Amino acid sequence: MRTRYNPEAPPGPPRMAQALFRRYCRPDRQEELEGDLEEFYYKRLKDGSSLWKARFFYWWNVIRCYRPYAKSKTQNNMLLYPLFKSYFKLALRHSWQNKWSVLINVVGLGMALSMCVFLYMMYAYNFEFDTYYQNTDDIYRLHGFTIENNLERRNETSPVALDDVLRHKVSGIEEVASYYARDASVSKGNEFFTERVAFVSSEFFDLFETPLWYGSYATFGEQPVAYISRELAKKYYGDEIALDKVLSIYLGGSRKREVIIAGVFDKMPPNRSFFNEIVVHHQEYADAYELDMNDWGNHRYIAHFIRARAESLENIEREINTYIPLQNEGHQERSIIRFEFVPFLSPTIANHLLWRSYVGQRVRPSVYVIFTALIAMV
């Protein structure tokens, strides 16, 4: 070992740094390199550097010495590299000799994993369905049960004439919203598109709060206005503001309604009941078809949603069921036998027991069974 500077026995190098160096340093180079480190350490002290500064640079030199020429290679490390290299070569050789079998297994595993991911996404879609809407605990859907072809059907539809009854003739109901949706031709200038259009009452956005990206609900129900989705605004107008633009909605034949865009919906998730590109007031639909909303003889059906206390539902159902004979007088082919209210997030909706409905629905449980069976088979 080299001669070390030791005129007055100054403090030695940091012990922890020395221990770290001896742990990683090769045995055949340890004496040489450790001597160099100590020589630099004592030289700094001799040149007037403070003790903490000399120790700091000793640590720095120990870290910098961690290089290939100084690191020790144990027998285990020397054996691992050729061992893994051999395994890798054997795996490649075996895979090439059985390439078709390996390809089938890899593709099958990939398909099974992708199906698992897709199955999870469908489950998440159903689990979070309609959670976008807030404060829905006291909101109920009106279901009408009909007899068709000697079979009982549950429908999330009710006669148009029931709208006035729910609003003005039945006690215990706090708010009523109506909803009807259909595909319609929409023109923007000389361009025509087919879009899903919803016709709703003025109270709809009170029951189902739907934030706007821009615009206002102030004139809804007072003027012929429309609200469109963010995606539709991008499709029709690009980066241009869509407010005050005119759309023409064709409901068949010469039934045309011109509406002014009063707002654009903010981005919304796809797993919700009300999934529409355009929303207008239901009076536009009534005017287009010249409907008498109080006429029990017309064959129009819409969806109704109410806000009410749970303890009032029984009396409300009893009152509206008294209007069933009026409805059935001219609708023998689709006779209603009773009305029923179910919670907005009812398991009845999740189980797909509806025969007719204008709203979006969850993925059917049978899809889970199909994909689970496919995953097991793959």
Side-chain angles (χ1 to χ4, degrees):
M1 183 178 293
R2 298 184 182 183
T3 304
R4 302 171 183 172
Y5 173 75
N6 190 18
E8 299 178 358
R15 292 184 179 180
M16 291 183 64
Q18 284 182 319
L20 176 62
F21 173 76
R22 291 168 183 170
R23 184 173 183 82
Y24 73 70
C25 187
R26 300 167 46 172
D28 59 326
R29 302 209 62 182
Q30 180 177 337
E31 184 176 355
E32 174 191 357
L33 294 175
E34 187 173 356
D36 290 338
L37 291 172
E38 291 189 11
E39 184 175 340
F40 284 119
Y41 172 77
Y42 287 116
K43 186 176 185 302
R44 287 192 177 90
L45 291 177
K46 180 180 178 181
D47 292 341
S49 296
S50 61
L51 179 61
W52 74 267
K53 188 174 182 180
R55 290 189 171 184
F56 172 79
F57 278 102
Y58 186 88
W59 269 102
W60 178 247
N61 290 333
V62 167
I63 296 172
R64 292 185 63 191
C65 272
Y66 189 74
R67 301 292 177 85
Y69 63 80
K71 290 189 296 184
S72 63
K73 295 183 179 179
T74 63
Q75 185 177 5
N76 289 337
N77 288 335
M78 295 173 65
L79 290 175
L80 283 177
Y81 174 73
L83 185 63
F84 281 116
K85 185 178 179 180
S86 175
Y87 284 162
F88 185 71
K89 286 183 177 179
L90 287 173
L92 284 179
R93 191 177 302 153
H94 178 76
S95 299
W96 182 252
Q97 291 175 351
N98 302 275
K99 48 183 174 294
W100 295 116
S101 176
V102 171
L103 180 63
I104 292 173
N105 288 331
V106 170
V107 172
L109 178 62
M111 291 177 61
L113 290 176
S114 63
M115 288 180 184
C116 288
V117 173
F118 186 67
L119 189 63
Y120 170 77
M121 291 177 65
M122 287 192 297
Y123 173 78
Y125 180 93
N126 278 6
F127 183 76
E128 299 174 355
F129 196 85
D130 272 341
T131 55
Y132 172 80
Y133 301 108
Q134 304 297 316
N135 304 318
T136 58
D137 293 341
D138 56 350
I139 297 178
Y140 298 88
R141 304 169 183 258
L142 178 59
H143 286 180
F145 289 81
T146 60
I147 294 294
E148 300 175 56
N149 299 324
N150 297 322
L151 295 175
E152 183 177 298
R153 309 289 192 186
R154 175 189 287 268
N155 309 283
E156 196 165 274
T157 59
S158 47
V160 169
L162 196 62
D163 193 76
D164 183 68
V165 172
L166 293 171
R167 294 177 188 279
H168 304 111
K169 299 180 181 179
V170 177
S171 60
I173 299 178
E174 299 175 10
E175 284 184 286
V176 180
S178 62
Y179 177 89
Y180 170 71
R182 59 169 291 177
D183 291 335
S185 295
V186 179
S187 69
K188 179 186 74 71
N190 296 325
E191 298 179 277
F192 284 81
F193 307 89
T194 300
E195 308 292 354
R196 188 72 171 171
V197 181
F199 302 88
V200 304
S201 62
S202 302
E203 303 85 356
F204 181 81
F205 295 116
D206 294 330
L207 267 66
F208 306 104
E209 184 178 351
T210 309
L212 293 174
W213 186 26
Y214 57 81
S216 171
Y217 290 119
T219 58
F220 186 61
E222 300 175 2
Q223 298 179 12
V225 298
Y227 299 90
I228 64 177
S229 68
R230 194 167 180 172
E231 294 76 15
L232 197 64
K234 184 74 173 177
K235 172 183 172 182
Y236 284 179
Y237 306 105
D239 296 329
E240 187 180 356
I241 298 298
L243 289 180
D244 299 327
K245 304 293 185 182
V246 178
L247 292 178
S248 297
I249 302 176
Y250 295 86
L251 299 174
S254 60
R255 298 181 181 91
K256 171 185 173 183
R257 307 302 297 175
E258 288 193 344
V259 292
I260 300 172
I261 297 176
V264 176
F265 295 122
D266 204 350
K267 191 173 183 180
M268 295 181 285
N271 54 341
R272 64 186 195 278
S273 289
F274 311 108
F275 191 79
N276 307 284
E277 299 295 336
I278 303 175
V279 177
V280 298
H281 198 271
H282 70 174
Q283 191 60 43
E284 299 298 324
Y285 180 81
D287 292 344
Y289 284 91
E290 299 179 351
L291 292 180
D292 180 1
M293 299 291 285
N294 298 319
D295 181 13
W296 289 93
N298 65 55
H299 289 247
R300 304 288 177 177
Y301 294 83
I302 59 178
H304 284 107
F305 304 88
I306 70 166
R307 186 188 298 277
R309 297 179 180 274
E311 55 269 21
S312 304
L313 290 180
E314 186 176 349
N315 291 332
I316 295 172
E317 287 180 2
R318 187 182 304 112
E319 288 190 49
I320 65 173
N321 280 326
T322 60
Y323 291 88
I324 290 178
L326 287 175
Q327 169 65 16
N328 290 343
E329 284 180 6
H331 302 81
Q332 298 299 325
E333 77 286 352
R334 190 176 171 183
S335 300
I336 295 177
I337 57 176
R338 71 180 185 278
F339 290 110
E340 178 183 293
F341 286 102
V342 298
F344 182 70
L345 298 178
S346 170
T348 301
I349 311 303
N351 293 334
H352 295 271
L353 299 177
L354 295 178
W355 182 249
R356 292 186 180 90
S357 177
Y358 297 121
V359 303
Q361 299 187 41
R362 294 169 172 83
V363 178
R364 294 183 177 274
S366 57
V367 177
Y368 295 153
V369 178
I370 294 172
F371 271 88
T372 303
L374 287 175
I375 291 170
M377 291 170 61
V378 172

